[in-house]
Amino acid sequence: MKTTRTYVMRERAERAERTRERVLTATVALGYSRPLAQLTLQAVADRAGVSVQTVLRQFGTRDELIAAAIEHEQGQVRDDRVADPDDLAASLRSLLVEYERLGDGMIRILGQEEWEPAAAAITGPGRALHRSWVMRAFAPAIAAAADAAAATDLLVAATDLYVWKLFRRDRGLGRDATAARIRALVDAVLASLPSGPGAPEASGPSPS
């Protein structure tokens, strides 16, 4: 009897976790595809295939749902982004795969941050996440630079989402051409960084 009860409880917990994941996935997808003001509990529930009451039972309030979705998505982005200082090509490739998947939605959210608190709660940590990625992916070059903060700033700018948008959307270039231009910007920044006194010489990017 105890074994049966344990199994039932475990099954309920797993079902609740699957529902939670579905609701979070629905929230993230809607957040990328429409103004955040339209991110209602009913819209989330409809997309996730559950009731509004289920959403409330899982997360409490709309604000708590959005906060959980932000944390969930940022964790996913951190896991997906390669930041390998020994393989610049792989690091940039993973960044551009992310931009292809999420870039348009991220641009849409950035356009709302001045008046939409939920957007600002996404974009601030997003910028910090990108800067952290740059610091890990380009660690040797930054460590060797005379001004580490300036080197980081330049590499953040060269790999910024709006640079991808400029080439990919505004210019209408294909993926390969966009990747080549961003790589050229990165290479130019790396080549221009003055080394600090006594710093180990930064190795240039390996051809890809």
Side-chain angles (χ1 to χ4, degrees):
M1 186 68 175
K2 183 177 180 181
T3 302
T4 301
R5 187 161 54 246
T6 301
Y7 173 81
V8 169
M9 291 175 65
R10 183 169 62 247
E11 177 63 25
R12 285 177 179 170
E14 291 174 353
R15 189 163 57 247
E17 184 57 33
R18 288 193 297 271
T19 299
R20 179 182 176 85
E21 183 70 21
R22 219 163 54 243
V23 171
L24 288 173
T25 299
T27 305
V28 170
L30 289 171
Y32 281 132
S33 64
R34 63 175 62 184
L36 292 176
Q38 296 178 14
L39 187 60
T40 64
L41 292 175
Q42 187 64 62
V44 171
D46 290 345
R47 188 177 182 101
V50 299
S51 67
V52 170
Q53 191 57 41
T54 295
V55 177
L56 290 171
R57 188 162 56 246
Q58 286 272 0
F59 297 96
T61 66
R62 177 180 180 273
D63 288 345
E64 289 171 319
L65 168 62
I66 292 174
I70 292 171
E71 182 179 358
H72 178 271
E73 179 65 1
Q74 287 175 349
Q76 188 66 54
V77 170
R78 277 192 296 269
D79 290 344
D80 289 346
R81 273 201 195 186
V82 174
D84 184 352
D86 296 322
D87 193 344
L88 178 56
S91 297
L92 290 175
R93 189 161 52 247
S94 75
L95 177 73
L96 294 178
V97 166
E98 177 194 307
Y99 285 170
E100 288 292 329
R101 184 171 67 91
L102 305 175
D104 294 322
M106 292 161 67
I107 293 290
R108 187 175 293 110
I109 291 171
L110 282 162
Q112 303 171 66
E113 65 180 334
E114 290 188 7
W115 67 82
E116 174 59 68
I122 297 168
T123 57
R127 291 188 181 95
L129 189 154
H130 182 60
R131 190 175 186 86
S132 174
W133 175 84
V134 165
M135 293 174 71
R136 288 181 288 118
F138 299 95
I142 292 171
D147 186 335
T152 303
D153 288 342
L154 290 169
L155 290 165
V156 166
T159 57
D160 188 75
L161 174 63
Y162 279 107
V163 175
W164 172 85
K165 177 181 179 293
L166 173 66
F167 295 132
R168 191 76 169 96
R169 298 295 181 240
D170 300 351
R171 285 274 287 112
L173 300 179
R175 294 187 183 190
D176 291 344
T178 297
R181 282 159 172 73
I182 290 176
R183 178 61 186 262
L185 284 175
V186 168
D187 288 350
V189 169
L190 292 173
S192 72
L193 296 178
S195 298
E201 186 175 345
S203 58
S206 57
S208 60

